[in-house]
Amino acid sequence: MRQVTPKKESYYVVSNPLPSREGALTVLFAGESQTKPVHRLGPKVYDYYLIHYVISGKGVFSSQGEDYELGAGESFVIKPEQLISYVSDEHDPWHYCWIAFTGEQASELIASTGVNPLQPIIHTTRNRHIPVLFRHIQQALRARKSNAQLRSIGYLYQLLGEYCEVLSASGAAGFVAEAESDRVVQQAIHYLSTQYAEPITIEMMAESLGYNRAYLSRIFKRHTKMTPVTFLLKLRVDKARQLLRERLELTIEQIASSVGFYDPLYFSKQFRRLYGVSPSEYRNQIKSL
């Protein structure tokens, strides 16, 4: 088994040479660290905003009772007074950079990106501008010039703009994916509604529609709150119930066969399970009306 060479630990932080906690927006400090395995911070709260960007390695960020496993190219956002903790991976500890900021506009700016306490993660794997902007903020503070505040704020605005674009794109992709899954489910419902009387199976439906069975079953249940098997069973029993009312000349066995049940006993069992009476009892109730 190949041994993994341990990463050399490092820690670097640079503060704003002229920090001011009053005003619209202030960058407080920025830093970067190659953490050691299982390096943990928290549970704790901060009184300012913190954004971390994972350069390499892995770790877990915990907030609001949720654990998020993160890797290279992903970011997590911490709001003031938010109880959080984060820990680096035991075998591949993360190397990350961060920026801390505060100010009257901070909350509004973070909200404008789409980040919130219930969704504090931003997947930015393909965006090369984000790590560069973190480094620019570090460099602006490290230069310790009179324009450090303005330059760091400028880069922070750009950084939040990149995050906003990433989240907007993922949101649009989510709407497209949801619309696509809804279309697939409607295809499945149409298939079952027209083929219920035939000896069909969910595997046959998936193959006919050109989708993986597990995928089709998963999105079907998400949209209808029932599995395709349950939907088909209820559809068949409901059709049988209609025939029991409207086609009194048909026998129970003929009705069962007409809706796709080829075992009358199984049909009777499922009918009783859904309606509390047997098919013959239901028909007798109809006749007595």
Side-chain angles (χ1 to χ4, degrees), residues 25 31 40 46 69 96 110 160 171 176 180 200 238 263:
L25 193 64
R40 178 181 296 275
Y46 296 97
E69 297 184 4
Y96 52 40
I110 287 294
L160 295 177
V176 171
E180 172 63 17
I200 60 172
D238 286 346
D263 181 346

Side-chain angles (χ1 to χ4, degrees), residues 164-231:
C164 184
E165 183 175 348
V166 168
L167 288 171
S168 297
S170 63
F175 285 126
V176 171
E178 188 65 18
E180 172 63 17
S181 66
D182 183 67
R183 184 183 66 81
V184 172
V185 170
Q186 292 304 318
Q187 287 181 336
I189 289 175
H190 177 74
Y191 180 94
L192 295 173
S193 299
T194 57
Q195 301 294 318
Y196 68 90
E198 305 300 324
I200 60 172
T201 64
I202 304 307
E203 288 80 3
M204 291 169 58
M205 178 181 70
E207 182 178 355
S208 174
L209 297 178
Y211 300 105
N212 175 271
R213 184 192 186 283
Y215 165 76
L216 185 58
S217 296
R218 184 172 65 254
I219 64 171
F220 192 97
K221 185 174 182 179
R222 190 173 80 237
H223 281 258
T224 66
K225 309 305 180 186
M226 66 179 73
T227 65
V229 171
T230 301
F231 182 92

